[in-house]
């Protein structure tokens, strides 16, 4: 477990970008997109239902390694954008996971994030934005603030985050919607300071990100027990340096993102040993073909490639573009779109209750210190 009670871990000995096989990962990501679009590929078949999120993970990972111009050229931005619109479910107003699929909130957020990464979200006509926003808003229960993923009625705090971010990207996060979302998320807080998928559900680090991220976007972190939560998150660091999602589970690269981003929002990334975490992520790289796996010696995939690079970027180690811990988009994209979020101030002296209301006064670079 990391030592967090007294002095923070000593500064890392690894310089930014050191050990990250950026060129190989960029090659892995671009070759993967060709593989996925091949009708006979195994990878393509088993991930067909969640293709929209897969494309977001790919583009977001690539964006942290290369400029937007390079992204649009290498990944064929216009073709991707055309495909995204072919996944639009005109009847419901949201996006599906692939062509011909019904709209779902998860994929609607991924689609909007893809458009943001490609730089075309700002150009979206107002009537289209309004229609997508109406689809998202209709999934938020006005009384309880619980958010459904789609027509099936499944409720999960993942969807609270997706609704908050999607509405924010569309400039449609009204105060009543934001406070409804916060009301529900606050009910999902557990005795350990963590959050689960619904009220009473076990704390899980990925759901913590969703809950704290939703509260941050909605501009009200007042219900978060920052101290208890940061301790619980710090306890996720295992002896090998990697982070797990809950007690007694194995470390997994993706928790580097879910946990570090949450700690960034709380202003407490110093609670984990970043150098040890960076070494764990770097050990999960495929040194031959590129890509990052969930843990050392496993097969790489695009999900862990994105979250591994994103985790390193949060620690200032990607040597590429910085990532925003709340929106999971490059910071320049978040700034370009004028997006808002709330973060806590980091120092114990200032107390966890002091934060900046709906203003990004604390820059991500500082939060990562
Ligand atoms: C834009 C970054 C971003 C996210 C959008 C969809 C979403 C919001 C968040 C997903 C959060 C989530 C619940 C991820 C699941 C992560 C994961 C690896 C879960 C595995 O859980 P278990 O219980 O495995 O199978 P362990 O053993 O790790 O507890």
């Amino acid at each position: 477990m990391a030592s967090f009670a007294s002095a923070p871990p000593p500064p890392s000995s690894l310089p930014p970008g050191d050990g990250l096989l950026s060129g190989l990962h960029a090659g892995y990501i671009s070759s993967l997109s060709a593989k996925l679009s091949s009708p006979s590929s195994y990878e393509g078949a088993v991930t067909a239902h969640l293709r929209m999120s897969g494309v977001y993970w790919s583009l977001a990972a690539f964006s942290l390694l290369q400029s937007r111009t390079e992204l649009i050229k290498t990944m064929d931005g216009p073709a991707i954008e055309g495909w995204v619109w072919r996944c639009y479910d005109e009847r419901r107003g949201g996006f599906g996971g692939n062509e011909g699929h019904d709209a779902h909130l998860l994929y609607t957020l991924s689609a909007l994030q893809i458009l943001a990464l490609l730089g075309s979200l700002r150009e979206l006509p107002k009537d289209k934005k309004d229609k997508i926003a109406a689809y998202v808003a209709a999934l938020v229960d006005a009384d309880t603030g619980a958010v459904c993923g789609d027509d099936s009625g499944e409720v999960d705090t993942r969807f609270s985050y997706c609704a908050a971010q999607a509405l924010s990207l569309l400039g449609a996060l009204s105060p009543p919607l934001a406070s409804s979302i916060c009301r529900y998320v606050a009910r999902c807080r557990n005795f350990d300071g963590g959050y689960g998928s619904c009220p009473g559900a076990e704390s899980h680090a990925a759901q913590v990100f969703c809950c704290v991220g939703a509260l941050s976007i909605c501009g009200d972190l007042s219900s978060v027990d920052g101290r208890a939560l940061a301790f619980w998150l710090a306890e996720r660091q295992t002896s090998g340096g990697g982070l797990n999602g809950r007690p007694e589970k194995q470390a997994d690269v993706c928790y580097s993102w879910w946990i570090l981003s949450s700690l960034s929002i709380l202003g407490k990334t110093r609670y984990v040993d970043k150098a040890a975490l960076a070494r764990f992520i770097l050990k999960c790289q495929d040194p031959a073909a590129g890509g990052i796996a969930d843990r050392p010696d496993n097969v790489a995939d695009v999900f862990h490639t994105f979250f591994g690079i994103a985790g390193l970027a949060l620690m200032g180690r990607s040597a590429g573009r910085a990532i925003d811990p709340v929106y999971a988009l490059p910071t320049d994209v978040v700034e370009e779109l004028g997006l808002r979020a709330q973060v806590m101030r980091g120092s114990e002296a200032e107390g966890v209750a002091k934060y900046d209301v709906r203003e990004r006064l604390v820059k991500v670079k500082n939060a990562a210190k």
Side-chain angles (χ1 to χ4, degrees):
M1 193 179 83
S3 69
F4 53 84
S6 49
S12 159
S13 52
L14 290 169
D18 189 54
L20 179 65
L21 307 171
S22 303
L24 268 184
H25 297 323
Y28 166 80
I29 294 161
S30 50
S31 68
L32 193 68
S33 65
K35 220 183 210 181
L36 290 181
S37 35
S38 149
S40 58
S41 107
Y42 170 77
E43 290 90 342
V46 294
T47 59
H49 63 292
L50 49 73
R51 183 65 42 84
M52 190 66 78
S53 293
V55 172
Y56 155 68
W57 300 325
S58 307
L59 297 197
F62 199 90
S63 296
L64 296 178
L65 304 171
Q66 307 275 348
S67 66
R68 178 180 279 163
T69 314
E70 201 53 48
L71 170 82
I72 292 171
K73 197 172 82 184
T74 313
M75 305 293 279
D76 197 350
I80 291 181
E81 205 175 319
W83 174 79
V84 166
W85 285 108
R86 289 201 298 281
C87 297
Y88 185 63
D89 178 346
E90 194 69 53
R91 190 166 75 80
R92 293 179 176 80
F95 293 84
N98 210 330
E99 287 180 60
H101 292 206
D102 292 348
H104 194 289
L105 186 50
L106 285 173
Y107 307 122
T108 298
L109 173 60
S110 293
L112 294 173
Q113 288 179 305
I114 292 168
L115 298 178
L117 286 165
L118 295 174
S120 43
L121 185 63
R122 276 196 309 183
E123 273 102 66
L124 208 59
K126 188 175 173 330
D127 60 333
K128 189 62 98 183
K129 278 191 182 169
D130 289 348
K131 191 167 172 191
I132 303 170
Y135 162 76
V136 176
L139 293 168
V140 182
D141 184 307
D143 294 328
T144 65
V147 184
C148 292
D150 64 1
D151 305 345
S152 73
E154 182 192 7
V155 169
D156 189 304
T157 48
R158 281 178 304 154
F159 310 143
S160 306
Y161 174 85
C162 293
Q165 180 173 166
L167 290 167
S168 175
L169 288 171
L170 294 164
L173 184 58
S174 66
L177 276 168
S179 68
S180 286
I181 292 171
C182 291
R183 203 166 50 246
Y184 180 78
V185 169
R187 286 180 48 220
C188 301
R189 194 185 87 190
N190 293 318
F191 69 93
D192 51 20
Y195 294 82
S197 57
C198 59
E202 178 190 4
S203 295
H204 187 286
Q207 305 288 160
V208 166
F209 164 80
C210 294
C211 290
V212 174
L215 296 172
S216 168
I217 293 171
C218 292
D220 186 8
L221 288 167
S222 61
S223 61
V224 176
D225 182 343
R227 193 173 166 76
L229 178 54
F231 270 68
W232 187 85
L233 291 169
E235 283 173 345
R236 306 280 58 79
Q237 190 152 33
T238 64
S239 55
L243 306 172
N244 65 18
R246 45 196 169 133
E248 305 303 324
K249 300 289 256 178
Q250 276 188 291
D252 178 321
V253 158
C254 73
Y255 295 111
S256 313
W257 168 264
W258 307 119
I259 291 178
L260 267 187
S261 55
S262 303
L263 286 171
S264 293
I265 296 169
L266 303 179
K268 292 186 188 303
T269 60
R270 66 187 183 282
Y271 277 36
V272 295
D273 180 341
K274 296 196 198 70
L277 176 58
R279 280 194 293 272
F280 172 79
I281 300 172
L282 295 173
K283 269 196 251 166
C284 298
Q285 300 180 105
D286 181 331
I292 301 178
D294 55 353
R295 47 188 77 97
D297 302 323
N298 280 359
V299 176
D301 61 77
V302 69
F303 177 85
H304 292 94
T305 301
F306 169 53
F307 288 113
I309 295 171
L312 290 167
L314 277 182
M315 295 187 273
R317 292 181 187 284
S318 74
R321 282 156 92 189
I323 189 161
D324 183 273
V326 180
Y327 286 90
L329 291 169
T331 49
D332 56 294
V333 172
V334 170
E335 274 160 24
E336 170 188 270
L337 294 169
L339 302 175
R340 298 279 179 98
Q342 187 179 82
V343 292
M344 288 184 176
R345 288 207 187 274
S347 89
E348 292 295 343
E350 285 176 294
V352 290
K354 290 192 182 169
Y355 43 78
D356 306 306
V357 180
R358 297 187 69 74
E359 282 188 26
R360 306 190 66 71
L361 294 182
V362 180
K363 285 280 183 197
V364 175
K365 281 184 218 114
N366 294 338
K369 277 184 190 156

